[in-house]
Amino acid sequence: MNLPHTLPNLPQPPVSREQTQALLDLRAEASGQIKPRDHYTLADRLEAQAARHGQRPFLIYGEQTLSYAEVDRQADQVAHAAFAAGLRAGDVCALMMENRPAFFSCWFGLVKLGVVVAFVNTQVTGKPLLHALDTTGAKALVVGEECLGNLQATEGLPALPMWLIDDAENRWTGALPAGVDRQFATAMAAAPDTPFPKAHRAGLEAQAPTLLIFTSGTTGLPKAARYSHMRWLSSGDVMEVTLNAGVDDVFYCCLPLYHGAAATSVTSTALRAGASIVVRRKFSVREFWSDVARHRISVFQYIGEICRYLLNRPAIAGEREHTLRCMLGAGLSSESWQRWVERFGPIQVFEGWGATEANTNLINVDNYLGACGRVPDWNRTNLRLVRFDVENDCHPRDANGFYQLCEVGEVGEAMGFIVDHPDIGGGRFEGYTCATATESKIRRNVLREGDAWWSSGDLLRQDADGYCYFVDRIGDTFRWKSENVSTQEVADALSDLPGLELINIYGVQVPQHEGRAGMAAVLMQAGQAFDPQALYRLTEARLPRYAAPMFVRVSAAADLTSTFKLRKVDLQRQGYCPNACPDPLFIRDERSQNYQPYSPQLLEQVGLPAFEGGQHG
């Protein structure tokens, strides 16, 4: 399936491969500053920047501003209190808290002690919460008062210390859940704010883990990915030169800190540059632009869906008069990208591709519409695109049994060669806390005997100029009528349906048919009704017939992860069975050139059998 990746009425910059490579070389040089065996940690950088930028604003939260020196002193208090409570270097402490300054002071304080911090999703309860504590091997849990309800709703919590951090915005009025201790906060407030002795983390190397960050978990329970001091620090070093960030920049942190983007890219870059971070507890469409104006925000980390929410807002006067100079993130479709710059002005967009645990990545440093990065010279990256057979769910092999590299225009899986050298940090795969999960992401003997590659599970494509485009997740792309259908490309093509808030495309099994039929779950904006004929016209204008969804369900709410990733598994299981699906269902009817309400008669007319419940897509 080949849909256009660029739109004709937004000119593309004539950037040479040499120009792009020069910028990528600067990133590569920056990424090598911290060596695996250096005795240098996140805490050392915090202390160095606090000494250098002491009175400069670091965290801005509502009416509160904390300087670099103040954040550092608060972190020292946490370190002293945690040490007195028994934590030691190398221990794991879980942290469950919403975005607020206390998140940073607790995180940084534990790091000063040499503790590995496991970020826990603030929306999980029950089995997922127990899984998070178990799989990280946490010896203690620091929990914000705003998350006490999660503990209250969870049976069988392990017998580990649970230290409560007050939240003035969310007071808990009932009895505390069993095992939760208020005394830690008292001890922390009474602890000295003198520098915590570095001797307690003196043996730590940069390659040691500092964070455990959970994957998004769109299917099943998430995995805890290891994140080393070296990798976290290098992220800041690399993005500082990429964004040309400096002390006058103001970063906007509106994505949850327990997820990789906000905790790694935003925080590490701002700290490296001596810049400020505006912290918002939760993303707000209504408050976004007022926050930008009020705090003169210059850098914004996005997820594609956030941009769509902002584009769905009615236009107001003066929208192009703002301080945003650049934005970085992933998942911004070509259509949304073009609409964004046309509406809000020529903001530099650093669209990228990667993953929390990835040992390779892409970033679009050229502002080239629709691309998630560029590879001017494949000999200077550990990334490769290898052919993948969607129909048979496998990688084709050559005569010698090795995988095959993609040609220009071919869709393939992105893989990263795993570098295993004691003095080289780049290209390492740090894996997960679970050895089995780590091994499941490694492919061996890929291009030659004895090599090892990280398997991303993502399908990408490159064009003749070396620009790369995200196509889909393996397992999301499906075959229908002997053609491959990319759920991501279909969603992008239909994303500007009038009144649409979200669209989720997936394939559902059809009894007695090969492959899967396309289905769209649409969520309309408040006050907007689904127009089936408008959707049909849009499919005719933008999609080949085989890629147009056969079924539509009009959802009352979107099934999203907390980082705005769409879940599909339950939707696939329900399929187009009216008994399993609580939403209004529609069937594509080419005779009437419309999507018509579901009926057994219409299903028979279009030549499809009834859905057999309980199937898995």
Side-chain angles (χ1 to χ4, degrees):
M1 178 175 173
N2 291 287
L3 299 181
H5 288 286
T6 57
L7 302 180
N9 52 343
L10 189 67
Q12 297 297 285
V15 178
S16 70
R17 287 178 182 263
E18 290 75 20
Q19 284 177 284
T20 305
Q21 189 62 58
L23 290 172
L24 297 180
D25 287 346
L26 285 177
R27 286 170 51 87
E29 182 181 357
S31 72
Q33 293 181 35
I34 309 296
K35 305 299 182 185
R37 292 187 281 194
D38 288 350
H39 289 276
Y40 190 71
T41 69
L42 189 165
D44 294 312
R45 174 157 292 173
L46 171 67
E47 291 169 359
Q49 294 299 72
R52 182 181 180 189
H53 302 292
Q55 299 313 307
R56 291 193 62 84
F58 185 18
L59 302 179
I60 301 166
Y61 179 77
E63 301 300 322
Q64 184 181 10
T65 298
L66 292 173
S67 69
Y68 273 78
E70 287 172 313
V71 172
D72 187 50
R73 286 197 296 269
Q74 289 184 5
D76 281 320
Q77 288 184 293
V78 172
H80 283 293
F83 184 80
L87 285 184
R88 296 293 182 267
D91 288 344
V92 176
C93 181
L95 174 61
M96 190 179 196
M97 191 180 297
E98 292 179 353
N99 289 16
R100 54 190 179 103
F103 186 106
F104 292 89
S105 58
C106 290
W107 168 19
F108 294 156
L110 292 167
V111 169
K112 280 174 175 274
L113 179 52
V115 165
V116 180
V117 184
F119 293 157
V120 179
N121 188 325
T122 57
Q123 299 189 20
V124 299
T125 60
K127 184 179 178 181
L129 177 53
L130 297 176
H131 166 78
L133 298 175
D134 177 63
T135 195
T136 59
K139 291 192 174 181
L141 168 65
V142 174
V143 59
E145 191 171 7
E146 68 274 27
C147 296
L148 285 178
N150 304 52
L151 303 185
Q152 189 82 292
T154 301
E155 295 182 2
L157 283 168
L160 78 170
M162 290 184 282
W163 299 325
L164 179 65
I165 304 297
D166 296 338
D167 180 8
E169 299 171 55
N170 295 277
R171 289 302 187 191
W172 182 262
T173 56
L176 288 178
V180 175
D181 177 13
R182 279 194 181 275
Q183 297 309 307
F184 182 78
T186 304
M188 189 175 72
D193 63 3
T194 53
F196 186 78
K198 291 186 180 182
H200 293 296
R201 64 174 189 269
L204 278 183
E205 294 180 334
Q207 62 188 332
T210 183
L211 293 176
L212 299 176
I213 303 178
F214 283 91
T215 57
S216 294
T218 52
T219 58
L221 292 171
K223 300 182 287 290
R226 292 192 181 96
Y227 221 96
S228 67
H229 292 272
M230 171 184 62
R231 190 167 168 224
W232 192 91
L233 293 164
S234 294
S235 173
D237 295 341
V238 168
M239 291 311 298
E240 180 197 29
V241 300
T242 304
L243 305 178
N244 193 25
V247 294
D248 294 326
D249 274 309
V250 181
F251 286 70
Y252 193 50
C253 177
C254 59
L255 295 173
L257 279 161
Y258 60 75
H259 188 258
T264 59
S265 184
V266 168
T267 309
S268 65
T269 309
L271 180 62
R272 179 68 174 86
S276 304
I277 304 173
V278 172
V279 181
R280 173 165 277 279
R281 193 172 285 237
K282 294 179 181 177
F283 170 71
S284 168
V285 173
R286 187 170 57 87
E287 299 295 334
F288 178 84
W289 287 112
S290 60
D291 279 348
V292 171
R294 177 184 176 192
H295 300 294
R296 300 192 61 78
I297 290 164
S298 56
V299 184
F300 158 48
Q301 177 133 21
Y302 65 87
I303 296 290
E305 288 307 325
I306 282 181
C307 297
R308 278 190 43 76
Y309 293 149
L310 292 166
L311 286 167
N312 286 342
R313 282 192 68 200
I316 59 174
E319 284 185 330
R320 297 169 69 91
E321 299 168 11
H322 56 74
T323 53
L324 274 185
R325 67 176 184 86
C326 65
M327 46 196 273
L328 63 151
L332 188 62
S333 69
S334 297
E335 290 79 10
S336 293
W337 189 334
Q338 175 164 320
R339 289 170 60 205
W340 183 274
V341 295
E342 287 176 345
R343 180 169 169 179
F344 301 123
I347 303 167
Q348 172 94 40
V349 176
F350 292 94
E351 171 79 3
W353 168 85
T356 304
E357 73 277 26
N359 73 330
T360 189
N361 61 70
L362 285 166
I363 188 167
N364 184 343
V365 295
D366 299 338
N367 213 24
Y368 192 85
L369 180 71
C372 62
R374 190 186 197 186
V375 182
D377 183 353
W378 287 93
N379 293 318
R380 301 175 77 169
T381 176
N382 69 326
L383 174 70
R384 294 293 184 272
L385 303 186
V386 299
R387 287 175 175 159
F388 185 78
D389 183 342
V390 172
E391 184 173 10
N392 295 302
D393 193 29
C394 67
H395 299 88
R397 308 273 182 156
D398 65 16
N400 297 314
F402 297 123
Y403 291 28
Q404 301 173 348
L405 295 177
C406 290
E407 300 291 340
V408 168
E410 287 186 322
V411 174
E413 183 186 3
M415 290 190 178
F417 177 74
I418 297 174
V419 177
D420 184 13
H421 189 285
D423 298 317
I424 299 175
R428 288 190 175 190
F429 176 46
E430 297 181 339
Y432 310 101
T433 55
C434 172
T436 303
T438 299
E439 188 60 32
S440 73
K441 294 291 286 184
I442 299 174
R443 303 290 176 265
R444 303 186 186 278
N445 305 318
V446 172
L447 297 180
R448 66 174 187 269
E449 196 70 29
D451 66 7
W453 295 72
W454 170 72
S455 168
S456 72
D458 285 344
L459 298 174
L460 274 66
R461 173 170 50 227
Q462 62 161 319
D463 66 17
D465 293 316
Y467 288 102
C468 297
Y469 307 88
F470 177 77
V471 175
D472 220 342
R473 286 287 296 167
I474 289 177
D476 286 351
T477 290
F478 59 90
R479 284 181 70 80
W480 181 243
K481 297 185 177 179
S482 301
E483 299 282 356
N484 294 335
V485 180
S486 161
T487 62
Q488 186 64 49
E489 290 182 342
V490 173
D492 290 347
L494 304 180
S495 63
D496 56 353
L497 176 73
L500 182 70
E501 182 72 22
L502 279 174
I503 187 166
N504 192 357
I505 305 294
Y506 51 97
V508 295
Q509 290 184 337
V510 179
Q512 304 150 38
H513 281 65
E514 294 294 326
R516 289 183 283 166
M519 190 161 184
V522 300
L523 174 68
M524 304 306 294
Q525 297 170 29
Q528 298 291 318
F530 171 61
D531 184 342
Q533 195 161 43
L535 178 63
Y536 187 93
R537 287 196 297 266
L538 200 59
T539 63
E540 288 290 282
R542 296 190 176 174
L543 294 171
R545 282 277 174 89
Y546 66 82
M550 279 299 304
F551 303 98
V552 177
R553 60 186 287 171
V554 183
S555 304
D559 190 10
L560 293 171
T561 70
S562 57
T563 51
F564 304 93
K565 292 186 178 180
L566 294 157
R567 296 187 178 95
K568 304 186 182 189
V569 173
D570 288 341
L571 299 179
Q572 288 175 318
R573 188 177 296 116
Q574 294 170 3
Y576 55 93
C577 175
N579 294 329
C581 173
D583 302 324
L585 284 170
F586 292 81
I587 302 174
R588 181 179 178 84
D589 179 19
E590 294 184 359
R591 293 190 306 176
S592 64
Q593 298 190 345
N594 203 348
Y595 281 91
Q596 301 284 5
Y598 178 96
S599 71
Q601 295 78 17
L602 179 57
L603 194 62
E604 185 177 355
Q605 286 175 19
V606 300
L608 295 177
F611 185 80
E612 296 174 359
Q615 299 184 73
H616 294 261

